[in-house]
Amino acid sequence: MIVAHARGTLAYRRLTLAMLFAGFATFSLLYATQPLLPTFARTFDLSAEAASLAVSIATGPLAIGILAAGSLSDRWGRRPMMVAAMFGAGVATLLAAVAPGWGTLLACRLLTGLALAGVPAVAMAYVAEEVDEASVGHAMGLYIAGSAIGGMAGRLGVSLVAGAVGWRWGLGMLGVAGLGLAEGFRRLAPPSRGFVRRGRGERFRLVALFRDAGLPWLYLEGFVVMGVFVTVYNYAAFRLEAAPYRLGPIAVSGIFLLYILGSVSSAWFGGLAGRIGRRRVFWIPVAVLLTGVALTAATPLAAVVAGIALVTVGFFGTHSIASAWVGRRAVAARGQVSAMYLFFYYMGSSVLGSAGGVAWTRGGWPGVVTFCLVLGGVAMAGAIALRRVTPLSAMAT
């Protein structure tokens, strides 16, 4: 009989530290180029929407790769796939740092996204197979914490280094850090004991992923709120570096410290939803996000920063509730349902993040605000629709 790792054991501590490294590396490498978009626009003579491809061309392939990575890990194993993914993404980021031109840089970013698909797609399965049931929540919490901290630290670190010695050094520094985290994961993550090879894996059942009345709305929520979040952060730098603010890249990078609020809000809204119900709570973080978008339309810098803070709080709160709700509604093919939610989530970053660049180019920041308010309105309509979806407990009676 295989004994799962329990909280308090040395193996459990090694595994959770490894998962912290995995989350940190994934989101720092994935969004490393976001604060560099204005720099790319100047360096390569690009429009804002063209520069945004440095982010979108990584998140799009990652979204597609997630759909296949789970099934591949059924044959190859969870730990080997995560190790290969982290090393591959670190190497691709180093190559991006020395890319001779814009096309080559985009190719390296595409490879980064494809490589990273192997981490979020199998992280939950790896933890569930290796950790005892009572400790799974804590272990996954550290992975999510690493993701939030990595998303903030990666953007901030690249901005600071790029502002001091150039963007190539910034990406190179992060690529080296990514390889260090990959090696740390390889050394720390215990060999799989609960993994059972599944041949060609479970057949992907597309119809089943949309049969539940609530799941399509939750997929839509992930798509649009991620679109709002990425759009605001993609083009806020362009606005803050222009008149009347004229902030330098290092000062602008300070907005990524607002991610700390997101880490807090995800836990707080998740706990609130657990106490009084997801249907009653879900509209609240969506309303916070909408309020934040509207507030960024103001001119005073303090109002703009406060608006971005509210967008951050609202996004993380919405995502935390939606992702947990997906797991609750998925009575069958849970891994595939989760992969489909992540697919829409990252496609929102890729497709809507670039579409927001068109809004910026044609309408400036008012265009971005209008675009995001429309997306937020769709999210609110989805929240209202979800209130009317029959709970699974009622369907079972």
Side-chain angles (χ1 to χ4, degrees):
M1 179 179 177
I2 297 173
V3 178
H5 302 303
R7 189 171 180 179
T9 63
L10 176 60
Y12 178 84
R13 288 193 292 270
R14 290 171 61 90
L15 185 146
T16 51
L17 183 56
M19 294 306 297
L20 185 70
F21 285 179
F24 190 104
T26 299
F27 287 88
S28 61
L29 295 175
L30 182 62
Y31 289 105
T33 54
Q34 191 174 52
L36 301 177
L37 298 185
T39 300
F40 290 154
R42 291 189 296 269
T43 302
F44 297 105
D45 192 22
L46 304 169
S47 64
E49 59 264 31
S52 73
L53 287 174
V55 176
S56 300
I57 207 167
T59 54
L62 181 143
I64 296 170
I66 279 174
L67 298 178
S71 296
L72 289 175
S73 74
D74 285 341
R75 284 179 279 168
W76 299 347
R78 320 298 187 197
R79 183 181 178 278
M81 172 163 281
M82 294 179 73
V83 170
M86 292 173 69
F87 273 109
V91 170
T93 301
L94 277 178
L95 292 176
V98 297
W102 180 241
T104 310
L105 190 151
L106 290 182
C108 293
R109 290 293 296 159
L110 185 149
L111 292 175
T112 300
L114 283 175
L116 286 175
V119 180
V122 301
M124 177 54 123
Y126 175 64
V127 171
E129 289 169 351
E130 306 303 324
V131 175
D132 73 340
E133 186 175 353
S135 305
V136 167
H138 179 259
M140 280 305 298
L142 287 177
Y143 168 73
I144 294 170
S147 302
I149 297 169
M152 178 186 70
R155 291 167 168 94
L156 189 58
V158 166
S159 297
L160 294 175
V161 175
V165 292
W167 66 268
R168 293 185 183 276
W169 286 99
L171 283 182
M173 173 274 298
L174 194 60
V176 170
L179 290 175
L181 290 166
E183 177 62 15
F185 180 89
R186 187 189 70 82
R187 289 174 178 268
L188 288 169
S192 296
R193 300 194 301 182
F195 172 71
V196 177
R197 197 176 303 276
R198 291 176 175 81
R200 300 191 63 181
E202 185 180 7
R203 183 167 57 91
F204 194 80
R205 298 172 293 181
L206 184 62
V207 174
L209 306 186
F210 291 88
R211 186 175 296 152
D212 178 84
L215 288 175
W217 288 110
L218 291 167
Y219 300 152
L220 179 65
E221 293 293 331
F223 181 74
V224 295
V225 299
M226 184 57 152
V228 172
F229 182 66
V230 169
T231 295
V232 168
Y233 273 92
N234 271 1
Y235 306 106
F238 286 94
R239 184 189 184 191
L240 295 176
E241 289 187 14
Y245 311 108
R246 299 196 182 280
L247 300 180
I250 294 178
V252 171
S253 69
I255 65 172
F256 296 113
L257 292 172
L258 296 174
Y259 265 59
I260 297 172
L261 298 177
S263 299
V264 174
S265 73
S266 62
W268 189 83
F269 275 112
L272 183 65
R275 291 193 300 272
I276 66 177
R278 298 180 183 91
R279 286 171 176 77
R280 295 181 180 180
V281 171
F282 193 61
W283 68 273
I284 299 176
V286 175
V288 172
L289 180 141
L290 279 165
T291 302
V293 169
L295 188 56
T296 64
T299 301
L301 180 59
V304 175
V305 173
I308 296 174
L310 289 177
V311 168
T312 305
V313 169
F315 164 73
F316 275 97
T318 303
H319 174 50
S320 66
I321 297 173
S323 57
W325 209 343
V326 164
R328 179 69 181 85
R329 300 285 313 184
V331 294
R334 182 164 290 159
Q336 293 178 9
V337 168
S338 297
M340 184 59 69
Y341 174 78
L342 289 174
F343 169 78
F344 279 100
Y345 177 77
Y346 287 112
M347 286 304 292
S349 173
S350 180
V351 175
L352 298 180
S354 289
V358 178
W360 164 259
T361 299
R362 296 185 179 181
W365 193 255
V368 170
V369 169
T370 301
F371 176 73
C372 290
L373 286 176
V374 170
L375 294 179
V378 173
M380 184 60 76
I384 294 171
L386 282 163
R387 286 181 63 94
R388 300 172 182 171
V389 173
T390 304
L392 291 178
S393 56
M395 293 169 61
T397 58

